[in-house]
């Protein structure tokens, strides 16, 4: 098994050094030669993993080499519930915690994200000196992963708090007004993460694989709702919408 195959299997001639003296290129040539020279009676199976299949050398993907590609995508709701059941064996759960409920709240999470979520929830339960992990711990752990750590010691002045409050309510009101928007999970003006002075968390209720033009336009409208609220209430805008503008773009 070769992990991170792109580290040695990058397409030849694509890097800064073009020619036969690049050490990585020699390793790749040796690998290609060895893979062509296996005795079929040896019963050897070679596996590799990469997050960047598009940069691999075409010779690696020819028949008889790495010719079968298996996509390991983000799990769907049923898959997330099954992954959670594996990780939840390590912690003592309250009776109100159902893996299916947690799976519904974690759309888009990978297996590693779910393992991290269980650890975060267990840490939160430990901090409040509980011997069981409650559903509330998972909800707060999801917020920590999505929005970052709470910064309760960061004091905003009254004017800034007011701007942040109206900004976040702008997101929420536009979301509630538009059909088909994701459900609002929480609105807060407690700073989190590196730059967020407040946040509105929306979580989809089901897995989605396609989006229509109308849904995308509604998503942009929700992202710009905070900026619009600032303009309506204060007559001017602040730098608070920088992240919203980046996401909308």
């Amino acid at each position: 098994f070769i992990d991170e195959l792109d580290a040695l299997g990058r397409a030849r001639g694509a890097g800064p050094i073009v020619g036969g003296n690049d050490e990585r290129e020699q390793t790749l040539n040796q690998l290609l030669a060895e893979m062509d020279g296996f005795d079929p009676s040896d019963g050897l199976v070679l596996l590799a993993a990469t997050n960047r299949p598009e940069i691999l050398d075409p010779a690696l993907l020819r028949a008889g080499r790495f010719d079968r590609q298996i996509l390991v995508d983000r799990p769907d709701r049923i898959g997330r519930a099954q992954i959670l059941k594996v990780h939840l064996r390590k912690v003592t759960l309250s009776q109100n915690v159902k893996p299916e409920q947690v799976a519904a709240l974690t759309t888009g999470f990978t297996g590693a994200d779910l393992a991290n979520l269980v650890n975060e929830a267990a840490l939160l339960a430990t901090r409040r000196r509980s011997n069981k992990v409650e559903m509330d711990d998972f909800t707060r752990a999801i917020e920590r992963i999505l929005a970052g750590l709470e910064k309760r010691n960061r004091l905003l002045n009254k004017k800034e708090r007011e701007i942040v409050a109206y900004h976040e309510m702008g997101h929420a009101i536009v979301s509630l007004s538009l059909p088909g928007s994701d459900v609002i999970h929480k609105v807060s003006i407690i700073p989190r993460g590196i730059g967020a002075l407040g946040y509105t968390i929306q979580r989809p209720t089901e897995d989605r694989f396609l989006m229509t033009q109308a849904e995308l336009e509604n998503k942009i409208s929700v992202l710009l709702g905070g900026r619009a609220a600032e303009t309506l209430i204060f007559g001017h805008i602040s730098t608070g919408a920088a992240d919203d503008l980046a996401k909308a773009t």
Side-chain angles (χ1 to χ4, degrees), residues 18-118:
V18 180
N21 293 324
D22 184 6
E23 190 177 327
R24 186 182 61 220
E25 198 165 297
Q26 292 179 30
T27 310
L28 173 58
N29 287 335
Q30 182 70 16
L31 177 65
L32 293 170
E34 291 291 341
M35 287 179 76
D36 266 1
F38 282 140
D39 184 344
S41 64
D42 283 346
L44 184 64
V45 177
L46 207 59
L47 302 173
T50 178
N51 288 320
R52 306 173 68 194
E54 70 282 354
I55 69 165
L56 293 178
D57 195 277
L60 272 174
L61 305 178
R62 287 192 192 133
R65 290 174 178 157
F66 296 115
D67 55 349
R68 295 193 182 189
Q69 295 185 33
I70 301 165
L71 177 67
V72 182
D73 210 348
R74 293 171 188 268
D76 58 9
R77 185 170 176 171
I78 297 168
R80 289 195 301 276
Q82 290 172 339
I83 292 168
L84 280 165
K85 283 174 185 173
V86 173
H87 295 301
L88 289 172
R89 290 176 193 155
K90 299 181 291 182
V91 296
T92 307
L93 294 176
S94 170
Q95 289 184 340
N96 69 342
V97 176
K98 301 282 188 293
E100 291 75 18
Q101 282 181 299
V102 181
L105 292 170
T106 51
T107 304
F109 277 41
T110 62
D113 291 330
L114 294 169
N116 184 35
L117 172 67
V118 173

Side-chain angles (χ1 to χ4, degrees), residues 40 55 66 84 115 131 159 162 168 179 192 202 207 226 228 239 243 246:
I55 69 165
F66 296 115
L84 280 165
N131 57 1
K159 183 66 177 173
E162 191 180 9
E168 298 307 330
R192 271 185 185 266
Q202 289 178 276
D207 293 311
T239 56
D243 188 50

Side-chain angles (χ1 to χ4, degrees), residues 8 33 41 50 59 66 88 94 106 120 149 151 154 162 173 192 207-208 221 230 232:
L8 58 88
S41 64
T50 178
F66 296 115
L88 289 172
S94 170
T106 51
E120 285 285 355
L149 290 169
K151 295 188 175 177
R154 180 188 287 174
E162 191 180 9
I173 289 169
R192 271 185 185 266
D207 293 311
R208 296 293 304 275
S221 300
E230 287 184 37
L232 280 170

Side-chain angles (χ1 to χ4, degrees), residues 160-176:
E160 285 187 342
R161 275 204 309 273
E162 191 180 9
I163 291 171
V164 172
Y166 276 110
H167 181 102
E168 298 307 330
M169 284 311 296
H171 290 308
I173 289 169
V174 174
S175 179
L176 291 168

